[in-house]
Structure formats: structure tokens, C-alpha cells
Amino acid sequence: MAVPTFPQAAFAQDITIEAKPSTAQLVPAEYGQTGVWAYDGMVPGTPLRLQQGERLRRVLVNRLDQPTTIHWHGIRLENAMDGAAGLTQEAVAPGGQFSYDFVAKDAGTYWYHPHRNSLEQVARGLSGPLIVEEHEAPDVDEDLTLLIQDWRLDQEAQIVADFANMHDMAHAGRIGNHLTVNGLPEFRTPAKTGQRLRLRIINAASDRILRLGAKGLTGYVVALDGMPLQKPEALTEIVLAPAQRADLFADIAAEPGETAHLTSIERQGTFSLAAFSVSGRDGTTLRPAPQSLPPNPVAVPSLKNARTLELVMEGGAMGRMAAARTADGKTRSMRELIGQGMAWAFNGVAGMPDRPLADLDLGEEVRMLLSNQTAWPHAMHLHGHHFQEVKDKTPGPLRDTILVMPQEKREIVFVADNPGKWMFHCHMLSHQAAGMMSWVNVIS
Ligand code: C2O
Ligand code: CU
């Protein structure tokens, strides 16, 4: 695909974000430190916080030995700032830099990560939280961001560098063997009975789906993928696909001397992800259910004149895909595709197509039918827009990433009101690398 060039003048005194090799204490100290790639040398990267409507300016400085970019996941921004290497900008070469500059229109919990060789770069540690505060702070005692990463570590606690592993790519992706919250081997924080915490949970794993639960907490889900729910929902269990976020209001119900937990529910059992050591009491009764957060200015479709697009997902292990076209237009057998590191296709095309899924008119309403004809779940992410899932003719919460289970058919709707070239891909980064990529073109 032809890559346009984007001339850039650097801002005078801008704050940088450096992507560079570093070390982090991801496992208990007796096992030593892990070599990582990290923003500003920190895992997770510098937490970025701004007010809704504020401008964020950061100069990415690439101190890696390979090209990179930053994608501001979930932010509805100008196309040129989206960080999609090869589509909205050229990747930043080693030693190079790129100035990002955008206004955060929506409040909520977002994150940033590379969008070039994302599988390796995210799995090695490059990601950070991006928090956009509401104009009026909601009534909580604490506001905590919990960014969850999934690491595949060897005996020496070093990252296993098997990123081009076709077995992973054609199955569930790169599933690690060590989860961290905010880069820590164990996340623990003091709390009091009756306190209300806002927990901003970010699944920054390359491929792992998280199933979260709560113990000793009365939780309410107040936002998903940054966007407030119209009505907060009581938390029982929540599934977060890679890249998805959930904002919880969690009231500490555990008694002084006890520990409350945010848990990860796994096949082998239920594990503590974050522990809240309760000492003392704050008030005598639990608070009433929370109010909803103020809505963000996202256009919602009327569902009357929507244009219908279809996206068929095929391939992977135990699938029926026999062949697919590659970027050069040639049809290749599954065996040839695997030889090229490809295992999946959207509408018969493996890898980033030259032509978009559709050219959309600015403001056009789009209804997209997602048909997962594979044996694996996929976390479909649209750039530059939030969409709603339609179930029984009723549009649900705004999301930027939707988990589509094997053999499922799902329907999403959105207003294409942001001009430019926007990627639509699977956020299981192994699947993305192995072909699950496309884009739409919104023409102004
Ligand atoms: Cu979180 Cu295309 O990315
Ligand atoms: Cu996938």
C-alpha cells in the first residue's frame, strides 16, 4: 500500500514520551527483573490524565531498534493523530520522533499503545493509561486505574520472544503465564469499609480475555470502553476482551481486618488481581447505587437509513478456510498463507487490504454484520468511532471493541462522522498480525 508522507514541525517545548528498552520488577524480587520495552522506562507507561475538552500534546521519541507509533485507543480524534502505521502516518524510525496533538472530546478510560508490530511491542510492555476526567468529578473516595498485562516469561523471568509462533496465531493467540496489575507482581492497597472506589480497569493483554469478579466489594459497572452506561449495572462478573475497559464503582463491603478482591476467574480457579486490605470504617452504611456518569457527545444512529456492510471472519485452526487473497491480490492456499505468517481473513482477504471495506459518506449511518465463521473468539475494534451493538432491534452501550464468540453473528451500528481512514481489526494482536485487519474510509 502506498504510504503518504506527513511533514511535521516539532512543537517548541513539548513533553516527550520515549519508547525504549528498560527493566521492570514484574515478579517477586527474588526472581529478578524482566527486560521490557516501555514508555518512559515504566510499566505501564506514564499515566496521562487530562480534563474532557483539553488538548494532549506529546512527542513520541523512538528509542527502540524498530519503527513504532502511538495509537490512542478509543479516542475519537483527528485521523492524522491516530497512529495507525501505514494508514494514517509513516511509522517512526528508530531515533525519530512524531508529535501527537489532539483534543479529548470524551471523558472516560482509554489507553495508548503502539500500532506497528503491535503484537511484539505490546507483549514486551508498551502500553499506558489515558484518563479523561469528567468536568465534574463523581462522588468517589478514590480513583484507581488498574492496567492489566499478560506476560509470557521463562524460568529467568525474561520475555519469551516467540512472537511469530504460528500455533498461537492460528489459535487463541499469545496467552502468557503471568498477569500484572500496574506492572506489579501483587497489587495491594489500603481501604476502609464503606468506601467507594472508582476502578478503571484496562485489559492491555495482547490476546487474553479476562473474566473478572469481585469478593468483599459491591460493584457497579458505570462505563464500558470509556463510555458511560445509561444506567449503572450491578457487577457480578465481567468479561473484558483485549483492549476493552470497564469503569466500576466498587464499595468496600469487607469488614475491617478482611481483604476485598478484584478477581480473575480462570479455568484453574479464581485468583486475586487486586487486593484491598481493609482497616477501619468509613461511614456506617453502604452507599446507594450510583448515578450514571454524564454522557459523552457521541452521535447515535437513528437506525432508519443505515447502510449495511458485512464482515465475515474466517480461518484459524479448526476452521474451514481453504484459501484467501493476500495484499498482492493473489489467491493462496491455507498452507501458503501459513508460510507467509497468515492464518485469518476478513471477507476472503488476509492482511491489510489496499482498498477499504467501504467508502462511507461523512455522517452516514452504518450497520455492520459481523459473522464469526471461525472456532475462536475475536475482539473487533473500530478506530475513531464508538459503535452500539444491536440486539433484538435495541441498541446497547457504546463500545469501541466487541468480543464476538465462535460461530456468532453480531450487529453493530455507528455514525461515520469522523473523516479519514480508520482501521477495523481484531485486537487479539496475534490474530491481527496473522491477517485480521481491514479499514473503512470516511470521505468528507
Ligand atoms: Cu488498540 Cu487498532 O488498536
Ligand atoms: Cu481474533
Side-chain angles (χ1 to χ4, degrees), residues 98-376:
F98 188 92
S99 301
Y100 291 98
D101 178 10
F102 58 86
V103 169
K105 289 189 273 202
D106 303 316
T109 302
Y110 305 94
W111 64 298
Y112 62 100
H113 65 78
H115 220 291
R116 164 70 192 248
N117 192 19
S118 317
L119 168 62
E120 175 172 7
Q121 294 189 10
V122 170
R124 284 189 184 276
L126 286 163
S127 60
L130 171 54
I131 307 302
V132 185
E133 292 173 349
E134 294 84 15
H135 288 301
E136 231 176 281
D139 179 23
V140 293
D141 298 308
E142 249 190 284
D143 184 333
L144 292 173
T145 302
L146 305 175
L147 185 143
I148 300 168
Q149 287 163 295
D150 181 28
W151 308 87
R152 183 178 287 181
L153 302 180
D154 65 17
Q155 297 289 323
E156 272 75 55
Q158 299 311 305
I159 292 168
V160 182
D162 58 345
F163 301 103
N165 177 331
M166 273 320 290
H167 183 273
D168 285 348
M169 287 192 171
H171 291 76
R174 181 184 173 89
I175 305 299
N177 50 15
H178 183 59
L179 291 179
T180 56
V181 173
N182 296 351
L184 300 169
E186 198 199 356
F187 181 93
R188 187 173 274 276
T189 190
K192 287 187 164 52
T193 308
Q195 269 186 334
R196 174 163 285 177
L197 314 176
R198 179 179 190 162
L199 303 179
R200 302 172 179 267
I201 306 167
I202 303 171
N203 184 354
S206 62
D207 296 86
R208 185 194 284 265
I209 300 167
L210 298 169
R211 225 173 112 204
L212 306 174
K215 282 211 170 101
L217 296 172
T218 309
Y220 299 89
V221 184
V222 295
L224 291 170
D225 295 351
M227 297 293 168
L229 297 185
Q230 277 174 12
K231 200 173 171 308
E233 277 172 25
L235 170 74
T236 46
E237 240 177 68
I238 188 164
V239 173
L240 281 190
Q244 289 185 326
R245 289 89 63 213
D247 283 50
L248 309 184
F249 281 1
D251 297 338
I252 304 286
E255 291 294 319
E258 297 178 349
T259 304
H261 297 276
L262 180 74
T263 60
S264 168
I265 302 160
E266 295 166 35
R267 222 175 293 157
Q268 303 90 325
T270 297
F271 302 91
S272 174
L273 266 181
F276 305 88
S277 317
V278 183
S279 64
R281 235 170 245 290
D282 191 2
T284 46
T285 50
L286 285 180
R287 304 196 188 198
Q291 302 281 303
S292 52
L293 295 168
N296 284 317
V298 182
V300 290
S302 63
L303 291 175
K304 281 197 197 95
N305 304 306
R307 155 150 170 215
T308 303
L309 301 176
E310 203 176 357
L311 188 89
V312 176
M313 312 169 199
E314 288 173 295
M318 296 176 276
R320 289 187 309 262
M321 187 168 86
R325 265 172 299 132
T326 42
D328 57 10
K330 293 214 176 77
T331 299
R332 299 180 188 274
S333 69
M334 192 65 173
R335 178 191 294 258
E336 289 171 310
L337 291 171
I338 296 278
Q340 296 190 358
M342 294 287 158
W344 310 91
F346 286 157
N347 295 351
V349 182
M352 189 65 170
D354 272 332
R355 305 219 0 92
L357 202 57
D359 288 312
L360 303 171
D361 293 329
L362 189 64
E364 193 169 10
E365 292 191 6
V366 182
R367 191 170 154 248
M368 187 132 31
L369 307 176
L370 308 174
S371 171
N372 181 355
Q373 302 182 5
T374 81
W376 304 91

Side-chain angles (χ1 to χ4, degrees), residues 344 377-380 426-428 431-432 436:
W344 310 91
H378 301 292
M380 294 300 302
C426 179
H427 220 292
M428 275 116 182
H431 293 173
Q432 182 193 5
M436 298 196 110

